């Protein structure tokens, strides 16, 4: 298909896009093709004003009173519930705070502590996991006398057995964009008598997740990717309601105490999602996240998913049409049921340099994706602010960079 035909198709798809108006809620230059929202989401316009009020009035004028009067103290649960809606969790099961790494630690240790027998001494870790999950899981295993078994996420359902205490799985592979079958893996791990900890970093806000309906035990995720919470925004922790009473946090800070201001030397855990808290919440970033979540009000995740798949399909077609054969190869699954919100292209070294050089040149030409060593070009498609025209332009500029040309 010709460039003109694809550009025309992009314009028609944008015109018919029910989410198109959302882009105006983000602070993005019109000519900016931002395909790195799976690493750092773009800035929602409402954040700066809200933060300025938080700093100037709530902190500056109300000072200590804001813990009560501005709702700071309960912000982790309130923001957690807003995230909960986006990942299929009824209120009271998600708490926002700490980093994903820290929440992986809480969840994996808590899952091990829930095992029915000490002979379950195995922690299954997804072979392609984002490294931090693996590092933390190894430490939890050392602390609890368990061992790590590295398993392909696709084999997790089959591999869980009588020795398994917990399976830690990335819902979407951060490198390839492969989506794993959360309902099936959760059911199989549960049937084996073990617990699941899902890392939703690349699915929260990218596609519908149904934590409650699928019976997932624990989930964690970050909020600075598809949820646009800002650099280092607080992560979240989900603990299924049925487990909350037995959830034994390995980080029982005073914020998780049933009566924190009793300042009791003896620990007594709070009920509910609060038990996942540790210390004083990071209020400024938490409230920036709270404001950022406004863009999700009224948004249907099914529509987000439909647009995400349409965008990635369209991008792949444009790449196929424009990029000289054999220069890049998609490592993202073709099948919709196995695809997350990004497209990853393997790019061998060529006249335009290695994949890192290619991405640097793309960024210079206004198409921002990212590079993952050794040879992966990642393009994240965040449906709230990415246009079909962006997908077309990204593929066209990629072809130009690889050909060493510049069309205008
Ligand atoms: C981004 C990401 C993380 C990041 O963890 P932090 O503690 O926020 O640095 C963890 N896991 C996965 C799968 C990720 O994609």
């Amino acid at each position: 298909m010709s460039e003109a035909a694809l550009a025309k198709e992009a314009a028609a798809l944008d015109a018919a896009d029910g989410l198109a108006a959302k882009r105006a809620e983000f602070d993005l230059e019109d000519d900016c093709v931002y395909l790195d929202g799976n690493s750092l989401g773009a800035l929602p316009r409402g954040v700066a004003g809200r933060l300025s009020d938080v700093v100037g009035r709530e902190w500056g004028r109300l000072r200590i009173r804001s813990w009560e009067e501005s709702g700071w103290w309960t912000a982790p649960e309130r923001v957690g519930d807003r995230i909960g809606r986006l990942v299929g969790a009824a209120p009271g099961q998600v708490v926002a705070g700490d980093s994903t790494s820290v929440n992986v630690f809480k969840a994996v240790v808590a899952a091990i502590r829930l095992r029915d027998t000490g002979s379950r001494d195995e922690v299954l870790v997804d072979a392609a996991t984002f490294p931090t999950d693996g590092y933390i899981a190894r430490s939890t295993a050392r602390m609890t006398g368990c061992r790590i078994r590295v398993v392909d996420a696709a084999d997790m359902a089959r591999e869980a057995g009588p020795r398994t205490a917990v399976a830690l799985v990335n819902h979407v592979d951060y490198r390839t964009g492969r989506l794993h079958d959360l309902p099936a893996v959760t059911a199989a791990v549960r049937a084996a008598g073990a617990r699941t900890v899902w890392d939703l970093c690349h699915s929260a806000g990218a596609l519908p997740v149904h934590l409650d309906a699928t019976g997932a035990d624990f989930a964690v995720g970050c909020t600075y990717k598809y949820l646009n919470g800002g650099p280092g925004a607080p992560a979240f922790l989900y603990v299924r309601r049925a487990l909350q009473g037995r959830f034994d946090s390995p980080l029982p800070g005073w914020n998780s105490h049933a009566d924190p201001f009793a300042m009791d030397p003896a620990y007594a855990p709070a009920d509910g999602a609060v038990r996942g808290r540790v210390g004083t919440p990071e209020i400024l970033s938490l409230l920036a996240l709270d404001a950022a979540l406004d863009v999700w009000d009224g948004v249907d995740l099914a529509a987000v998913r439909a647009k995400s798949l349409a965008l990635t399909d369209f991008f792949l077609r444009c790449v196929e049409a424009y990029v000289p054969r054999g220069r890049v190869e998609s490592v993202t699954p073709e099948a919709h049921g196995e695809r997350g919100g990004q497209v990853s292209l393997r790019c061998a070294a060529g006249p335009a340099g290695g994949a890192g050089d290619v991405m640097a040149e793309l960024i210079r030409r206004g198409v921002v994706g990212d590079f993952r060593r050794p040879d992966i070009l990642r393009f994240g498609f965040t449906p709230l602010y990415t246009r079909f025209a962006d997908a077309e332009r990204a593929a066209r500029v990629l072809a130009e960079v690889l050909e060493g040309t510049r069309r205008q």
Side-chain angles (χ1 to χ4, degrees):
M1 235 175 144
S2 74
E3 224 173 278
L6 285 168
K8 195 168 157 211
E9 187 176 339
L13 288 165
D14 282 323
D17 172 17
L19 290 171
K22 279 276 152 193
R23 184 177 168 98
E25 293 180 35
F26 290 86
D27 188 4
L28 285 164
E29 308 89 322
D30 189 54
D31 62 352
C32 166
V33 177
Y34 188 64
L35 303 180
D36 214 0
N38 54 336
S39 203
L40 177 66
L43 169 66
R45 288 189 192 278
V47 172
R50 173 82 170 99
L51 261 190
S52 130
D53 182 56
V54 169
V55 172
R57 188 180 57 84
E58 296 185 3
W59 178 12
R61 288 293 153 269
L62 296 178
R63 292 178 282 270
I64 196 86
R65 291 164 55 191
S66 273
W67 283 107
E68 285 296 327
E69 289 176 30
S70 305
W72 288 358
W73 185 260
T74 52
E77 297 81 69
R78 194 174 65 248
V79 175
D81 283 345
R82 297 189 77 188
I83 297 167
R85 180 183 86 78
L86 303 174
V87 293
Q93 301 171 99
V94 177
V95 70
D98 307 313
S99 63
T100 296
S101 302
V102 171
N103 285 319
V104 166
F105 177 76
K106 296 178 207 168
V108 173
V109 174
I112 294 169
R113 288 177 172 176
L114 280 167
R115 63 192 161 171
D116 50 5
T117 148
S119 61
R120 292 190 182 273
D121 60 354
E122 172 184 272
V123 176
L124 300 186
V125 177
D126 161 356
T129 186
F130 189 96
T132 201
D133 302 51
Y135 304 156
I136 301 273
R138 278 194 168 68
S139 175
T140 65
R142 278 201 288 137
M143 288 171 47
T144 55
C146 289
R147 63 200 172 85
I148 295 287
R149 196 150 66 81
V150 174
V151 170
D152 277 349
D155 300 332
M156 206 57 92
R158 195 158 11 98
E159 294 285 340
R163 301 283 305 257
T164 309
V166 53
L168 171 60
V169 199
N170 290 188
H171 192 194
V172 175
D173 185 310
Y174 75 100
R175 196 192 305 266
T176 63
R178 176 179 292 273
L179 169 68
H180 294 291
D181 190 340
L182 186 151
V185 173
T186 299
V189 170
R190 170 183 274 200
R195 308 289 174 187
T196 42
V197 176
W198 286 95
D199 183 328
L200 306 180
C201 281
H202 285 270
S203 52
L207 47 102
V209 180
H210 305 288
L211 289 175
D212 287 351
T214 49
D217 295 308
F218 297 91
V220 301
C222 60
T223 63
Y224 50 78
K225 293 170 182 166
Y226 291 89
L227 297 177
N228 316 303
F236 64 89
L237 170 70
Y238 164 86
V239 180
R240 181 159 62 87
R241 193 177 316 279
L243 297 179
Q244 286 179 339
R246 289 182 289 147
F247 170 53
D248 183 2
S249 171
L251 292 171
W254 74 294
N255 272 232
S256 71
H257 195 281
D259 188 4
F261 291 94
M263 302 290 175
D264 189 340
Y267 181 71
D271 288 332
V274 181
R275 200 180 287 189
R277 287 172 63 162
V278 182
T280 307
E282 46 281 73
I283 291 298
L284 297 182
S285 48
L286 192 55
L287 296 182
L289 167 62
D290 191 22
L293 290 172
D294 288 353
V295 298
W296 293 96
D297 288 348
V299 170
D300 172 11
L301 266 294
V304 168
R305 177 62 168 162
K307 181 175 173 188
S308 161
L309 289 171
L311 277 167
T312 50
D313 276 342
F314 184 64
F315 176 67
L316 286 165
R317 278 178 53 216
C318 293
V319 168
E320 168 103 13
Y322 296 162
V323 175
R325 206 150 287 283
R327 289 296 287 114
V328 296
E329 174 207 356
S330 172
V331 298
T332 301
E334 290 263 331
H336 284 179
E338 295 174 15
R339 192 191 303 165
Q342 76 190 50
V343 171
S344 298
L345 302 177
R346 175 165 288 138
C347 176
D357 304 308
V358 169
M359 183 51 74
E361 185 56 28
L362 276 166
I363 293 170
R364 260 192 295 279
R365 297 188 190 191
V367 174
V368 181
D370 64 22
F371 160 61
R372 285 291 174 267
R373 283 185 278 177
D375 56 1
I376 298 288
L377 304 172
R378 285 198 325 174
F379 299 92
F381 290 87
T382 44
L384 296 191
Y385 54 79
T386 305
R387 301 164 293 199
F388 289 89
D390 296 339
E392 192 274 337
R393 183 168 147 213
R396 181 157 36 85
V397 175
L398 173 63
E400 290 168 7
V401 169
L402 291 171
E403 288 165 355
T405 59
R406 176 158 223 160
R407 300 171 233 179
Q408 207 45 260

